[in-house]
Amino acid sequence: MRIPKTILKRTLKKLLILHSVVLLLMHTNTVFAWGTEGHQVIAQIAQSSLTPKATQAINRLLALESEVSLASISTWADEHKSKTTAPWHYINFPQNSCNYIPERDCKNGDCIVKALNKQIKTLKSNNSDQKKLHALKYVVHLMGDIHQPLHAGFGNDKGGNTYQIQAFGKGTNLHSVWDSGLIKNFHESTEQLSTRLLAKRKNTPESLDTNPVNIAIESCRIVQANDFYPQKQVDQAYIHQFTPVLEDRLLLGGQRLAQLLNQIAQ
């Protein structure tokens, strides 16, 4: 029995579309971090800690595109991701090693450490305000990404993307849990969460390390902990143990972003 050519063509077309969708989902899953909520919380924390001089400088840049806050540009880098810029959102260390070796871990500058340093340099430069706004969008986003532990995780599981588990009543992966699952479990608005985390500022040092290399290593060491990877399921014990870690990363991300922007504006 011969299948009509028209049916074969339609079937082939559907298979090609399905293949494209699968590739897109695979690509997207490996580079998103924190999700919208996490990035907005970090940006809101940073905004509240800006000096008047930094606020003035940032407002001048935001006004170029009628943006109103750091939170409003915090996910721009995800929304405008390309094949070229996707590697800028993470760094993959060898399994069980958090030692940063540029020629091994950041070939051709394609990792979050080099990308963040490059955008910071542009923001500090005498470039046009339009180029500085572009750099600011990346700095706000990437400073958030680099505080997500699995964006400085191990290459063998693609930062937890291939580590399949059960969490919050469904099948998912560990990267997704840290992107958004744990944050959504708070059942708070971004404003409520950032306000609550800001109340912890009194327990943090006045001067924070904003060096992307050190922050990436810091994130990697969280992933390196023996109990970071749950056994098949994210249970209440795991949530209880790592919720404070998650909150600290969000708070530090916002504080370090503010300190960096304040220093640039001096």
Side-chain angles (χ1 to χ4, degrees):
M1 177 179 172
R2 297 186 63 180
I3 301 175
K5 290 183 179 180
T6 54
I7 295 177
L8 284 172
K9 287 181 180 179
R10 286 200 297 267
T11 302
L12 180 60
K13 185 177 181 181
K14 289 179 181 178
L15 287 172
L16 288 172
I17 293 172
L18 178 61
H19 179 67
S20 299
V21 170
V22 169
L23 288 177
L24 177 62
L25 289 174
M26 288 175 63
H27 174 72
T28 300
N29 196 37
T30 60
V31 295
F32 275 12
W34 285 136
T36 300
E37 296 90 347
H39 280 293
Q40 289 183 348
V41 167
I42 288 171
Q44 287 165 359
I45 289 172
Q47 186 98 40
S48 70
S49 305
L50 295 176
T51 63
K53 191 171 183 180
T55 298
Q56 183 179 15
I58 288 169
N59 285 344
R60 185 186 75 247
L61 297 180
L62 293 175
L64 294 173
E65 295 184 2
S66 301
E67 299 290 356
V68 295
S69 67
L70 294 180
S72 68
I73 62 169
S74 64
T75 58
W76 179 91
D78 270 344
E79 295 158 3
H80 294 79
K81 201 184 296 95
S82 68
K83 186 176 180 180
T84 300
T85 63
W88 297 3
H89 295 247
Y90 62 91
I91 179 171
N92 285 331
F93 288 98
Q95 189 175 9
N96 297 322
S97 173
C98 294
N99 296 321
Y100 175 67
I101 302 175
E103 56 271 22
R104 179 195 67 191
D105 305 323
C106 200
K107 294 179 181 178
N108 302 316
D110 286 335
C111 79
I112 193 168
V113 170
K114 290 286 184 70
L116 185 49
N117 274 326
K118 181 180 179 180
Q119 300 303 324
I120 290 171
K121 184 177 180 180
T122 299
L123 201 53
K124 290 180 176 178
S125 71
N126 293 321
N127 273 302
S128 67
D129 277 0
Q130 194 65 53
K131 288 184 177 180
K132 286 185 177 182
L133 174 60
H134 187 262
L136 177 64
K137 292 175 179 179
Y138 272 112
V139 170
V140 171
H141 185 86
L142 297 181
M143 185 59 84
D145 278 0
I146 204 168
H147 282 82
Q148 207 273 44
L150 284 165
H151 268 242
F154 303 130
N156 67 304
D157 64 6
K158 298 182 179 180
N161 275 289
T162 62
Y163 192 83
Q164 300 299 308
I165 51 174
Q166 290 288 320
F168 308 108
K170 65 179 182 179
T172 183
N173 61 71
L174 190 58
H175 189 106
S176 180
V177 168
W178 277 83
D179 272 359
S180 56
L182 290 172
I183 295 176
K184 290 181 183 297
N185 190 55
F186 292 146
H187 302 293
E188 294 175 289
S189 67
T190 56
E191 292 80 8
Q192 290 172 328
L193 180 53
S194 59
T195 298
R196 179 166 64 80
L197 295 180
L198 279 166
K200 297 183 177 183
R201 280 189 298 182
K202 60 184 179 181
N203 299 322
T204 57
E206 292 183 7
S207 181
L208 297 165
D209 187 354
T210 57
N211 185 327
V213 172
N214 296 336
I215 299 172
I217 292 172
E218 184 182 84
S219 286
C220 180
R221 286 177 177 161
I222 293 173
V223 179
Q224 196 177 33
N226 290 332
D227 47 2
F228 182 82
Y229 283 83
Q231 295 297 320
K232 297 184 180 180
Q233 184 172 355
V234 172
D235 56 17
Q236 286 302 314
Y238 186 91
I239 295 171
H240 179 76
Q241 179 179 357
F242 284 100
T243 288
V245 177
L246 173 78
E247 292 180 345
D248 285 346
R249 300 311 286 168
L250 292 170
L251 179 59
L252 271 173
Q255 290 180 301
R256 282 171 167 156
L257 175 58
Q259 181 172 297
L260 177 64
L261 296 177
N262 289 336
Q263 290 171 346
I264 292 173
Q266 285 180 353

